[in-house]
Amino acid sequence: FICPCFSFAQNLAPNYSFEDTSNCPNINVLESAIPWFQPTAGTSDHFHECVTSGLFDVPNNSFGYQNPRTGKAYAGFITIGGADWREYIEAPLISTMAKNKQYCAEFYVSLSDVYAAAIYRIGAVFSIDSLFGAGVAPLPYTPDITNPIGNFITDTNQWTLISGTYLASGGERFITIGNFYNNDSTDTILVTGSGASYYYID
């Protein structure tokens, strides 16, 4: 998920496939995938095979049908919604990033079946302090790792890789993933369903 490039260091992302859970997830609770959390008022989600209600079950849930890329769980978030609604997932890294060290980062996303307006603006921000927002507006940061411009992520069946390298300033302790751009700066392609955009992440 995140590790120093060209070395044999450990993955810095905790619970990187959202497998470890404090309890079976219920509505709008990402925090069951400890230590991941929601940094804004947006309601990011945790999906796990232990759920039996169908809402946040794996593979069939309220946003569509998707098998995990690995294991038995994944997370999900709204990447574009009405009135610039955004959701993010955030976690503390296992260890602090070292100054001038280059890190490789990668994660996989899949467009949901229900809210299937495909976008390309999905990325990650590394920060010294936790990023918080009081509402649901886009967090005002430029992603350090981002999907290529114009590369719309339209696949609702398979998982699409987002990857890149990051040269650390030193002291970064958190990763936040989502769409950091407002609706006017986020182009969409409607694949199916409504005009909103929801992605699973694993």
Side-chain angles (χ1 to χ4, degrees):
F1 199 112
I2 310 162
C3 62
C5 297
F6 315 116
S7 72
F8 296 98
Q10 71 179 118
N11 189 339
L12 299 187
N15 197 9
Y16 60 86
S17 190
F18 311 102
E19 306 298 318
D20 298 333
T21 177
S22 58
N23 54 272
C24 276
N26 52 38
I27 189 165
N28 301 332
V29 177
L30 174 68
E31 281 79 1
S32 56
I34 51 177
W36 291 89
F37 62 92
Q38 303 163 152
T40 68
T43 52
S44 307
D45 304 301
H46 181 208
F47 303 87
H48 201 285
E49 285 182 357
C50 66
V51 179
T52 58
S53 66
L55 291 176
F56 297 93
D57 201 353
V58 171
N60 192 33
N61 53 66
S62 58
F63 294 96
Y65 186 95
Q66 181 56 270
N67 287 301
R69 181 180 175 272
T70 61
K72 54 190 176 182
Y74 46 77
F77 47 56
I78 292 173
T79 56
I80 185 168
D84 283 332
W85 183 289
R86 296 291 181 274
E87 295 178 351
Y88 300 89
I89 64 172
E90 184 172 344
L93 300 177
I94 291 172
S95 61
T96 302
M97 287 183 164
K99 185 175 181 179
N100 294 328
K101 181 171 280 190
Q102 192 167 350
Y103 291 83
C104 299
E106 63 179 29
F107 53 91
Y108 290 81
V109 298
S110 180
L111 183 62
S112 76
D113 298 312
V114 177
Y115 301 108
I119 69 170
Y120 59 82
R121 289 202 182 276
I122 299 177
V125 169
F126 298 105
S127 58
I128 293 174
D129 296 317
S130 181
L131 305 185
F132 282 109
V136 295
L139 291 172
Y141 301 92
T142 301
D144 299 305
I145 302 294
T146 186
N147 186 53
I149 293 175
N151 182 28
F152 289 90
I153 304 169
T154 60
D155 202 329
T156 59
N157 295 313
Q158 305 299 318
W159 292 90
T160 300
L161 173 66
I162 297 176
S163 64
T165 57
Y166 172 68
L167 184 64
S169 299
E172 292 92 331
R173 298 184 298 124
F174 292 89
I175 180 173
T176 306
I177 301 173
N179 175 13
F180 296 86
Y181 298 88
N182 62 24
N183 287 5
D184 289 342
S185 299
T186 303
D187 296 327
T188 63
I189 296 176
L190 186 60
V191 176
T192 184
S194 75
S197 176
Y198 188 96
Y199 282 86
Y200 302 116
I201 177 169
D202 201 357

